[in-house]
Amino acid sequence: MNKWHLRFAVTANCNFNCKYCNTNNKLVPELQDKEIKEVLTAAYNIGISKLHWTGGEPLVKKDLYKYIQYAKDLGYIEQAITTNGFLLEEQAERIIKSGISRINISLDTLNKEKFEKITGRNGLERVLKGICKTLEISNCQIKINMVVMKDNLEEVNEFIDFAKKINDKYNKDRIIIRFLQFFPCNPNQLNEKGQQYWKDEYVIEQEIIDEIKKNGNFITERCEKIVGDNPTVKYYKINGSLTIGILAMFSWKYPCGGCFKLRITPYGFGSCCLNDEKMYKIIGNSLEEKERILQQIIERRNTIVENRKDRMHYRSKLGEVRFGETGKQIELNRFYDII
């Protein structure tokens, strides 16, 4: 079980309104205290000891640090969080003290106006302050995830320069930059307007690579050397120093990375594979039943691996795992036809 980790989307709510994500954001009911703690306990009891908090935006979850501390007290040996960073400066000390050891930050631009255009918030300065505060008070590694689009492609090198300066100041490899191709995976791409926006902003992997090459040579870095839980990302070293990653799912035809993620949705359902339509309801059951269901989900992965050789890291109901039932679905070939 040491390969497995619990990927807990603790809320579907978010304080951003990103153009490419889910602009139909509405406040939705959140999981109750008892249910969250029992899911954490059940997963730990069946042998899972690594945890990744996601959302929505997990830092909008009231008293999230208390659940991080609860997981730490249970015995979880590693806890990561993916956040947009808007609330990081004010919460960094509490979540790190409570048990967070690694932070992923979604940040697509270093331009103030462009940041507001993408996210709907005037918040770039707050995010940057949160990054610096985290590095000042902890040994946490930070991975910055930049969704690369035509609108910000020219900033790839700005992000590389930014990371180099940060690493020079706070020690080597505190910051890793990961360049994520803009690929269909969110509810906004379920409608024609969102599909057109994706088509207009889509860049191929080679365009990203061409920008990176302006910084010098980069050589492949083994994924196993990078602490984290995404086996699909391709990592590189630029001039033997800065670590970067590329995730170009659309160009790669959505390969399955063979991950060991036990996903818990903000609505209390569980799944072991993004490409698997079967979801297991976990909330509303006893602790013992939760343990049984989680074990059943893990065992299902073996069946999927054996019988679904053609599976892809793609869900036709885009964003369903994070945002709930989407009401419609789009097969992957549709997007290749659009291009």
Side-chain angles (χ1 to χ4, degrees), residues 8-14 52-58 82-83 266 321-323:
F8 202 153
V10 73
T11 178
N13 294 317
C14 186
H52 192 143
W53 299 96
T54 66
E57 168 49 46
T82 294
T83 171
V321 173
R322 283 180 294 170
F323 303 111

Side-chain angles (χ1 to χ4, degrees), residues 133-178:
K133 174 72 176 290
T134 301
L135 294 170
E136 287 168 0
I137 67 172
S138 75
N139 293 318
C140 281
Q141 183 182 76
I142 293 178
K143 294 175 183 173
I144 294 179
N145 295 328
M146 175 195 182
V147 176
V148 184
M149 302 171 279
K150 280 190 171 64
D151 191 39
N152 63 359
L153 180 62
E154 62 185 16
E155 289 193 68
V156 164
N157 293 301
E158 291 181 35
F159 271 86
I160 290 174
D161 289 340
F162 170 76
K164 287 177 179 176
K165 290 176 182 177
I166 292 289
N167 285 343
D168 286 344
K169 181 176 181 180
Y170 294 103
N171 298 322
K172 184 179 179 181
D173 276 349
R174 294 296 303 281
I175 294 282
I176 291 176
I177 301 291
R178 301 197 297 188

Side-chain angles (χ1 to χ4, degrees), residues 64-89:
L64 177 66
Y65 74 96
K66 293 182 179 178
Y67 299 111
I68 298 170
Q69 183 68 55
Y70 183 82
K72 181 180 178 181
D73 293 342
L74 278 174
Y76 281 87
I77 60 174
E78 179 184 305
Q79 293 190 65
I81 188 170
T82 294
T83 171
N84 59 35
F86 189 76
L87 298 174
L88 185 57
E89 182 183 18

Side-chain angles (χ1 to χ4, degrees), residues 92-129:
E93 193 166 352
R94 282 191 302 189
I95 65 172
I96 291 167
K97 183 179 180 181
S98 299
I100 290 295
S101 55
R102 186 165 44 83
I103 299 176
N104 293 354
I105 296 179
S106 301
L107 178 62
D108 301 331
T109 179
L110 296 172
N111 178 282
K112 180 179 178 181
E113 288 73 27
K114 196 175 292 184
F115 183 95
E116 187 168 358
K117 174 184 172 184
I118 293 173
T119 68
R121 295 293 297 264
N122 177 11
L124 177 60
E125 186 176 349
R126 287 183 62 161
V127 174
L128 297 179
K129 285 182 177 179

Side-chain angles (χ1 to χ4, degrees), residues 275-290:
N275 198 222
D276 185 20
E277 292 298 322
K278 185 172 179 58
M279 305 282 279
Y280 294 76
K281 186 177 181 181
I282 297 170
I283 60 170
N285 292 291
S286 67
L287 175 60
E288 292 74 18
E289 273 294 289
K290 286 183 173 68

